[in-house]
Structures are given as C-alpha cells and as structure tokens.
Amino acid sequence: RQRQMCIRDRYRVDNEVVGHADANMLASVLGRAAGDRQNPIVVVHADAAASHQSVVNVMESARIAGLPRVSFATKTKQSAQ
C-alpha cells in the first residue's frame, strides 16, 4: 500500500494530520508510516494552493527518513470536476 501525503495549509500522512511540521518531525512520521515495507513510495498530493517550499519540505523529509522513492499525484481536468 502506498503512503499518501497531502499538502494544503498543513501536512497529512494517510489520515494523520501532522500540521505545520519541520523536516525532522515530518521525517519521523513518514518513517513510522513506511514501517518495515520494502521500497515504499511517498506519493505527494499537492493542490495549486500548496507552496513550492511545502513540496520541497516533503522531499527533504523523505530523504531524511531514508525514503528515496517520491512520486507526485496529478489530476486531469476531467477527474478534478
């Protein structure tokens, strides 16, 4: 199962609201969510309101947590309606 990350004004990992976390705190949450899975993928869901820095923070947190596989979810106009 993939771990899901949502960014708006706060971070969420799966259904856990992390809030405004620094990179180390978010890395800890990502590490716990990944558990003992082999090669987990962090999937970033960021809408247009998410700042570039928020996305960079997620990528840095994944690196700190030892999770090098990061992917970005996208929506087509049709699926966004």
Side-chain angles (χ1 to χ4, degrees), residues 8-75:
R8 284 211 173 101
D9 60 336
R10 62 181 179 234
Y11 298 101
R12 292 172 49 107
V13 177
D14 287 338
N15 290 322
E16 179 184 350
V17 175
V18 179
H20 299 283
D22 66 17
N24 290 317
M25 180 181 171
L26 189 54
S28 176
V29 173
L30 289 172
R32 282 195 314 271
D36 59 356
R37 292 177 185 83
Q38 294 292 324
N39 301 312
I41 300 172
V42 176
V43 180
V44 179
H45 296 261
D47 64 16
S51 72
H52 179 261
Q53 187 60 53
S54 293
V55 175
V56 170
N57 290 348
V58 172
M59 294 169 63
E60 175 65 4
S61 297
R63 184 194 66 77
I64 292 169
L67 304 169
R69 298 179 69 196
V70 177
S71 180
F72 296 88
T74 61
K75 286 185 180 179

